[in-house]
């Protein structure tokens, strides 16, 4: 039996047969699917969909009762405490090694030598292997930053987010690897910013903000001197602080000139920055950060942001509104 319900009546376990409204208003990109999480429910409730048709033979009704032939969702198995501890230790080792190798690569660039592309690519491989199905543990580890390692750990975390997001978007692995590489080097221009400014715990002066805002262009110039770097890497390095309203920097590009990869990197960069410890602020929770980002459609590509939210672990996104 198929019945129509209102948008605010959706709940986890419903099987969606079709959605009313223009196809571009469908945030899922498919017509028939099972709602598996509260994040997906919120995605529908915050969309412009006008009505939903659910199949009671394949999912639950408004009151939570199951249809006659519905297959119950099996309970998630929680890993043992020992398994979680072991994974956390392994992740700590990967993050520490990645930060050290990235710092070495950046220092080579600081001294005028070319970046060791092979070494940075190996870091991406380590991150890709460790992140698995969920970025939760890796991102938890990257929250443990010392002041002098902020840029390097942030870059490792952004790389991990881009890898995870790209896989959620079903990109081919070679492109996933390139995006992970771009995440590692997107802030290389910060090598030119004095540490007294980067680590400042109080508000920046206007002159200091101007210096910080130069880092995408400086980084782009550094990477342009490298041979054989994909254009995607250069694009993300220069434009990861651009906004959908054209008021970003360094070029003030309008939304139509921002590539999909830049839009993805902007989301990952801001999300990681506001949810992690910085010298000048306390971290936001994931739910607070994502809710704030959703309210700033002039900054971010909102349909893409929802896809990013869906890619994250449910524990990270609980409470997003």
């Amino acid at each position: 039996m198929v019945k129509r319900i209102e948008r605010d009546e959706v709940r986890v376990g419903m099987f969606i047969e079709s959605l009313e409204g223009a196809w571009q208003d469908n945030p899922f990109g498919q017509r028939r699917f099972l709602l598996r999480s509260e994040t997906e429910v919120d995605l529908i409730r915050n969309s412009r969909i006008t009505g939903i048709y659910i199949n009671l033979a394949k999912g639950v009704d408004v009151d939570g009762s199951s249809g006659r032939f519905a297959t119950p969702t099996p309970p998630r198995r929680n890993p043992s405490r020992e398994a979680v501890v072991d994974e956390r230790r392994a992740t700590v080792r990967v993050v520490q090694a990645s930060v050290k190798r990235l710092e070495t690569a950046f220092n080579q660039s600081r001294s005028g030598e070319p970046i060791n592309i092979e070494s940075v690519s190996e870091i991406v491989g380590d991150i890709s292997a460790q992140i698995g199905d969920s970025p939760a543990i890796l991102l938890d580890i990257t929250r443990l930053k010392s002041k002098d390692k902020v840029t390097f750990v942030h870059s490792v975390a952004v790389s991990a987010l881009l890898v995870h997001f790209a896989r959620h978007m079903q990109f081919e692995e070679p492109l996933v690897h390139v995006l992970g590489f771009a995440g590692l080097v997107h802030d290389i221009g910060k090598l030119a910013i004095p540490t007294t400014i980067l680590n400042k715990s109080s508000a920046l002066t206007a002159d200091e903000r101007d210096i910080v805002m130069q880092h995408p262009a400086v980084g782009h110039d550094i990477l342009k001197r490298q041979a054989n770097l994909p254009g995607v890497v250069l694009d993300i390095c220069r434009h990861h602080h651009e906004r959908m309203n054209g008021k970003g920097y360094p070029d003030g590009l309008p939304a139509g000139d921002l590539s999909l990869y830049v839009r993805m990197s902007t989301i990952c960069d801001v999300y990681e920055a506001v949810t992690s410890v910085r010298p000048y602020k306390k971290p936001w929770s994931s739910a607070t950060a994502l809710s704030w980002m959703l309210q700033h459609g002039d900054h971010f590509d909102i349909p893409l942001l929802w896809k990013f939210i869906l890619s994250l672990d449910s524990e990270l996104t609980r409470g997003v509104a």
Side-chain angles (χ1 to χ4, degrees), residues 153-163 183-184 186 265 268-269 272:
V153 183
H154 168 70
S155 297
V156 169
V158 170
S159 176
L161 285 170
L162 272 171
V163 165
L184 286 176
H186 78 286
S265 69
C268 294
D269 181 62
E272 202 290 321

Side-chain angles (χ1 to χ4, degrees), residues 31 53 78 86 91 137 141 145 163 210 242 255 267 281 286 292 303:
R31 296 183 182 277
Y53 289 89
N78 294 320
D86 288 344
T91 304
I137 291 183
I141 299 300
K145 296 177 181 170
V163 165
D210 287 342
E242 299 288 353
I267 289 170
K281 73 167 187 66
S286 293
W292 178 84

Side-chain angles (χ1 to χ4, degrees), residues 24 38 68 94 125 197 221 242 246 286 304:
Q24 60 266 28
E38 291 295 339
R68 180 179 176 185
V94 168
I197 295 178
D221 288 342
E242 299 288 353
S286 293
L304 190 61

Side-chain angles (χ1 to χ4, degrees), residues 5-11 41 44-45 49-50 52 62:
I5 63 172
E6 298 299 322
R7 185 174 61 199
D8 58 1
E9 293 181 294
V10 294
R11 62 184 298 158
V41 170
I44 288 181
R45 288 177 178 167
I49 292 167
T50 56
I52 299 100
V62 172

Side-chain angles (χ1 to χ4, degrees), residues 128-169:
S128 299
Q130 188 60 35
I131 198 171
D133 295 327
S134 170
I137 291 183
L138 189 144
L139 291 179
D140 179 48
I141 299 300
T142 61
R143 302 296 180 252
L144 307 175
K145 296 177 181 170
S146 60
K147 282 188 176 182
D148 60 331
K149 305 292 184 185
V150 167
T151 297
F152 305 113
V153 183
H154 168 70
S155 297
V156 169
V158 170
S159 176
L161 285 170
L162 272 171
V163 165
H164 189 74
F165 193 8
R167 284 176 173 163
H168 178 78
M169 298 279 284

Side-chain angles (χ1 to χ4, degrees), residues 5-225:
I5 63 172
E6 298 299 322
R7 185 174 61 199
D8 58 1
E9 293 181 294
V10 294
R11 62 184 298 158
V12 173
M14 287 181 169
F15 188 90
I16 307 299
E17 280 290 343
S18 63
L19 300 169
E20 285 183 355
W23 180 242
Q24 60 266 28
D25 294 336
N26 179 354
F28 293 91
Q30 52 186 319
R31 296 183 182 277
R32 304 174 71 250
F33 54 94
L34 180 69
L35 284 175
R36 299 181 182 277
S37 70
E38 291 295 339
T39 301
E40 292 176 332
V41 170
D42 286 341
L43 186 54
I44 288 181
R45 288 177 178 167
N46 287 282
S47 72
R48 293 182 295 177
I49 292 167
T50 56
I52 299 100
Y53 289 89
I54 61 173
N55 189 332
L56 298 183
K58 296 183 178 181
V60 302
D61 201 346
V62 172
D63 62 2
S65 60
S66 298
R68 180 179 176 185
F69 301 107
T71 302
T73 302
R76 294 180 62 181
R77 294 183 178 180
N78 294 320
S80 67
R81 179 178 177 82
E82 293 78 10
V84 172
V85 170
D86 288 344
E87 184 176 359
R88 184 181 175 87
R89 287 173 178 166
T91 304
V92 168
R93 291 193 294 271
V94 168
V95 171
Q96 289 176 336
S98 298
V99 167
K100 185 175 181 180
R101 294 176 70 177
L102 186 63
E103 185 175 11
T104 298
F106 276 29
N107 285 337
Q108 288 176 336
S109 176
R110 195 197 303 269
S111 64
E113 299 178 30
I115 297 173
N116 188 327
I117 294 177
E118 182 178 350
S119 178
V120 176
S121 293
E122 289 174 357
I123 298 173
V124 179
D126 291 342
I127 293 170
S128 299
Q130 188 60 35
I131 198 171
D133 295 327
S134 170
I137 291 183
L138 189 144
L139 291 179
D140 179 48
I141 299 300
T142 61
R143 302 296 180 252
L144 307 175
K145 296 177 181 170
S146 60
K147 282 188 176 182
D148 60 331
K149 305 292 184 185
V150 167
T151 297
F152 305 113
V153 183
H154 168 70
S155 297
V156 169
V158 170
S159 176
L161 285 170
L162 272 171
V163 165
H164 189 74
F165 193 8
R167 284 176 173 163
H168 178 78
M169 298 279 284
Q170 299 184 337
F171 291 172
E172 297 291 333
E173 276 300 309
L175 178 55
V176 171
H177 188 90
V178 168
L179 291 174
F181 188 103
L184 286 176
V185 300
H186 78 286
D187 267 346
I188 194 170
K190 286 185 176 178
L191 292 174
I193 301 176
T195 55
T196 53
I197 295 178
L198 287 178
N199 297 335
K200 190 174 180 180
S201 57
S202 57
L204 298 179
T205 66
D207 288 342
E208 289 169 339
R209 283 196 298 273
D210 287 342
I211 291 173
V212 171
M213 290 172 65
Q214 293 171 16
H215 81 268
V218 171
H220 184 255
D221 288 342
I222 292 173
L223 295 179
K224 276 198 308 184
R225 297 196 293 266

